[in-house]
Every structure is written in C-alpha cells, then in structure tokens.
Amino acid sequence: MKGKKIILGITGSIAAYKAAYLVRAFIKKGAEVQVVMTPAGKEFITPVTLSALTGKPVISEFFTANDGTWHSHVDLGLWADVMVIAPATASTIGKMANGIADNMLITTYLSAKAPVFVAPAMDLDMFAHPSTRHNLDLLRSYGNYIIEPGVGELASHLEGKGRMEEPDKIVAFIEDFFASRQELAKKKIVITAGPTYEKIDPVRFIGNYSSGKMGFALAEECAMRGADVVLIAGPVSLKTNYPSIRRIDVESAQEMYEAALREFPESDAAVMCAAVADYAPDHYSDVKIKRSGDDMVLQLRPNPDIAAALGKIKRPDQVLAGFALETDNEEENALLKLRRKNLDFIVLNSLQDSGAGFRCDTNKVTILTARGVRTSFDVKPKREVAADIVSVLSGNMKSTEE
Ligand code: CTP
C-alpha cells in the first residue's frame, strides 16, 4: 500500500467515526489519503479530525466558499489508485448505482478510473431491503467491490447484518486486492458461459437451465486479476461492464464452437463453463411447425464438442479447463472427461449436493487436475467459487511457464 493514492469517501452514518481509524491505518501503511465527505458525513465526524490525520484539507463542496476555488472531481478521479467509500449509506449506494451526482463524492465516484471499494453501513432492515440489494448488485456489475458488512449490534441496538466492516479488515481486503491484482496481467483468457439454444423452428429451440452466472463470475474474477477476457456467452440475461472483458454473444453450439476456435490460438488459457447442447435438430424448419395430432419425432445430430476441439489444438504453454455436471459416479466420470478432452483440470459439480449446479447463486465444487491433485471446496457463493477456480487456473498457468 506504500505510495498508493487513496480517496476515502465518508457518508452520513454513525460508523463515520471509524473512518478516522481507517485513515490512520492507511497512512501508517504509507498511503496518501484524500478525504471526500458528503454533507451528512460532516454531521457525524468533523473534517478537522480527518484533515489533521491526512495532512490535506477535506473536500466536501464543489467550491471552497471563501475563495471560490473549484474542486475538480475529474482530476481527483484520475489522481486516485483506489477509491474507498466507508461508511457507505443506503442513500449513497443508491445514488452511485443510479448516477445521481448531487454531491462531490458521487461526482468523484463517476469520474474515478480507479477500482472502487464500498463498505456499506446501515441498519439490518435497510441492508436487507430489496432496493439496497438491487443497488449493491448494480455496483458489483459496474466492477465495484463490496466489502460486506459484519453481523453484530447496530446503532439501533438491534442485532443483525449491517455493521460496517472493521477498519483493519477493510485495509486487509484492499491489500489483498493489490497483491492479487496483477497476477494475470497480460494474459488472455477465453471463457464460455451460459446455455446454447438449438433452433427447431422460428419460435422453438432446445435449451437448458444454465444461467451463465458461474461463467460470468469467472470472467469477472479473471478481469479483476488483470487478465484480458474473451467471454463467449450463450443466451443469458446477465450484464457485465468490466472494460477488460470482451463479450461475444452467440446462440448455438456451432456459433460458440466457431468463436472459441477463432479466439483460442491467441490465448493463454480457456475455461469451458458453458452448458453446451450435445445435439441439435437435424433439420431447421423455416416455418412454424403445426400441431398434427400424431406423435412427432425430432431427428437430432451431434454438435461439435468445443472443449475436445480445443484440447486437440492445445499447445504446451496453454491451459484448458472444463466443467463436469454429474449425477452419478461423479469423480470417475469427471476424470474420463478430463482425459477425453485433454483438459488440465476439471471442475466437478455434483447434482447430489444441495446448493450446487444450475439456477442458484451458490455452488459446491471439487477440482481434479490432470496431475492427480484433488481439492474439494465447501458450498459458497458463485463469486467465491470463481475465486477458488481462478486461483487453480493461475497456478496451472504459472506451471506451464516453468
Ligand atoms: N463441452 C463443450 N462442448 C460440448 C459439450 C461440452 O465444450 N459440445 C464442455 C463443457 O463446457 C464442459 C465439459 O465439456 O466444460 C463437459 O461438459 P458435459 O456436458 O458435462 O460433458 P459432455 O462431454 O457433454 O458429456 P455428457 O453430457 O455425456 O455427460
């Protein structure tokens, strides 16, 4: 953290008193801190305390009233290596999510080019409200990092989730970020995600329940660690706004196959996370197929196996990973797939485990490598599962370089 330039945004929460400890911790680590406060933030902690700790005047207004100096939020946004908003109230989170730039902190946020960390602080009911959850999801989708609040006694004397994370934990979170950030710098990683749709006629298709969440979480995790990601996505309703993720939208397995084959030779690694339809209708009807009353037979033909095709052209300096969703003989089947497709490792989802697989926000995986290493993880949110998988990917990529 030495020499890092940090903008600390402080908003109107009782937890604002902890911001003084946060400033002190950043300064002790050798960082330079510029505090930006909302008007409500100043009701909870005086700017004098904060400017004494940082050695810089606190910025809160667009102009300094006595001499008319304009504070450029654009310059400030460019100056920072990182922006931290702690404590972040429900109101500030809502304004950030929706671009309501009515104070210096929000304009600075909208101008910031640096990674942004948000440490929410509010009462448990406010934190649990769907609007807060939705706004936090929006911030995540903009590539911001949410430092989840802790559980404990709140200013209202109620017990629950909403207490701003402790300053030393916030510092540790950001230190970890700087440590892991460049791990995948200059690496190009291809990720397939979501289902494929195989057209039957203009209104019908064969598809599956894959949401694409796991693949998108992987893409964002790789981007966070500095990689350039090519995300080849089947039809999903997800959005991602990371500048280093190039998204290629496809519909069918054939389109996904062509995109993957085009991108892979220039890549350092590929993770095959898509639930690709194994078969497609042999014949596409240009007109809607009418009900005839009789039984109907749909002739299917096999789709290309994308992972296996990449496995065939894989060079020794490239890493290829796949997923296996199994219902029985899980590890045995996963290892067969790993060999058949020439993968470096395979991520096994067992449908026997609750909280794993399609259509949920959590997953439980076991990773099996071609070198015979087996690692089993607990049920976790897909974002955390993505972090585990990318750590294994990064380790494999390092060993191909050695
Ligand atoms: N895969 C792929 N192209 C296909 C089918 C699968 O790239 N046409 C990839 C998936 O993205 C996953 C891995 O291969 O990484 C295993 O997918 P899965 O559907 O479990 O395996 P299949 O080979 O289709 O075997 P089966 O459906 O018989 O279990």
Side-chain angles (χ1 to χ4, degrees):
M1 201 159 283
K2 203 165 166 39
K4 291 277 186 270
K5 299 188 185 81
I6 300 176
I7 296 174
L8 177 62
I10 302 174
T11 73
S13 151
I14 182 66
Y17 79 91
K18 290 189 191 170
Y21 296 96
L22 190 54
V23 170
R24 228 164 60 113
F26 283 144
I27 301 260
K28 265 193 169 169
K29 299 262 177 196
E32 200 180 332
V33 182
Q34 173 64 61
V35 171
V36 180
M37 296 177 88
T38 61
K42 291 197 287 186
E43 303 288 334
F44 288 88
I45 181 167
T46 161
V48 177
T49 305
L50 297 158
S51 64
L53 289 170
T54 60
K56 288 177 195 293
V58 165
I59 299 176
S60 169
E61 308 296 334
F62 294 108
F63 299 93
T64 305
N66 50 8
D67 63 4
T69 310
W70 181 60
H71 300 298
S72 168
H73 54 87
V74 178
D75 289 347
L76 202 52
L78 293 174
W79 170 82
D81 293 310
V82 57
M83 180 168 187
V84 183
I85 297 154
T89 57
S91 162
T92 288
I93 289 168
K95 287 181 189 176
M96 289 166 70
N98 295 289
I100 301 171
D102 67 348
N103 64 43
M104 188 66 190
L105 195 155
I106 307 292
T107 51
T108 306
Y109 164 71
L110 293 177
S111 306
K113 291 271 175 281
V116 177
F117 295 82
V118 181
M122 64 197 77
D123 212 45
L124 76 165
D125 294 321
M126 292 175 81
F127 187 70
H129 195 278
S131 111
T132 310
R133 312 300 314 158
H134 176 65
N135 287 331
L136 286 169
D137 282 344
L138 282 174
L139 294 189
R140 283 191 192 94
S141 80
Y142 306 156
N144 301 159
Y145 304 90
I146 311 301
I147 304 175
E148 289 289 324
V151 178
E153 193 187 345
L154 300 159
S156 59
H157 303 299
L158 294 170
E159 287 268 337
K161 189 166 178 174
R163 204 159 84 165
M164 186 180 91
E165 188 51 287
E166 292 306 322
D168 56 337
K169 297 248 178 68
I170 295 178
V171 173
F173 193 98
I174 295 166
E175 275 187 315
D176 281 356
F177 169 81
F178 281 123
S180 66
R181 187 171 158 67
Q182 294 310 317
E183 185 184 343
L184 295 175
K186 299 200 176 71
K187 300 287 181 201
K188 178 177 161 184
I189 300 175
V190 175
I191 295 171
T192 63
T196 63
Y197 285 1
E198 312 299 330
K199 282 185 188 162
I200 299 170
D201 70 14
V203 293
R204 303 180 181 94
F205 60 85
I206 298 174
N208 60 65
Y209 289 129
S210 168
S211 63
K213 280 183 187 159
M214 193 65 242
F216 274 60
L218 278 171
E220 291 182 348
E221 184 66 31
C222 288
M224 256 163 30
R225 299 195 197 191
D228 286 320
V229 179
V230 179
L231 177 60
I232 307 175
V236 291
S237 56
L238 300 174
K239 285 198 175 72
T240 182
N241 300 295
Y242 281 59
S244 54
I245 298 179
R246 176 158 62 88
R247 176 171 174 171
I248 302 176
D249 285 307
V250 297
E251 192 171 286
S252 65
Q254 182 63 32
E255 285 168 17
M256 191 175 272
Y257 170 75
E258 285 165 18
L261 237 61
R262 205 171 50 237
E263 297 293 336
F264 187 58
E266 301 293 305
S267 307
D268 300 286
V271 185
M272 305 284 96
C273 194
V276 186
D278 287 326
Y279 293 90
D282 195 25
H283 172 73
Y284 170 73
S285 166
D286 290 337
V287 291
K288 190 177 163 205
I289 300 169
K290 294 284 176 210
R291 172 203 289 269
S292 73
D294 295 332
D295 289 354
M296 183 180 161
V297 176
L298 201 56
Q299 180 74 28
L300 303 177
R301 60 175 158 73
N303 271 329
D305 186 327
I306 305 167
L310 299 193
K312 279 207 181 93
I313 59 168
K314 184 179 76 169
R315 299 186 306 264
D317 63 318
Q318 290 178 306
V319 173
L320 181 61
F323 275 71
L325 182 69
E326 304 291 340
T327 54
D328 56 294
N329 291 332
E330 295 97 325
E331 295 203 8
E332 199 183 313
N333 284 333
L335 283 171
L336 284 172
K337 263 176 206 169
L338 174 117
R339 290 195 196 100
R340 197 170 70 230
K341 302 184 191 225
N342 192 22
L343 306 175
D344 294 283
F345 68 89
I346 193 154
V347 182
L348 168 63
N349 285 302
S350 170
L351 281 191
Q352 307 254 355
D353 292 318
S354 60
F358 285 175
R359 293 207 287 184
C360 57
D361 291 328
T362 56
N363 207 350
K364 175 165 174 23
V365 302
T366 299
I367 299 183
L368 306 166
T369 76
R371 295 178 181 191
V373 182
R374 175 189 183 281
T375 320
S376 207
F377 298 89
D378 293 335
V379 177
K380 296 179 182 187
K382 283 188 174 166
R383 285 192 139 251
E384 290 173 29
V385 175
D388 291 335
I389 296 169
V390 175
S391 293
V392 173
L393 177 69
S394 167
N396 270 255
M397 289 170 77
K398 278 200 191 93
S399 58
T400 60
E401 286 165 9
E402 281 157 8

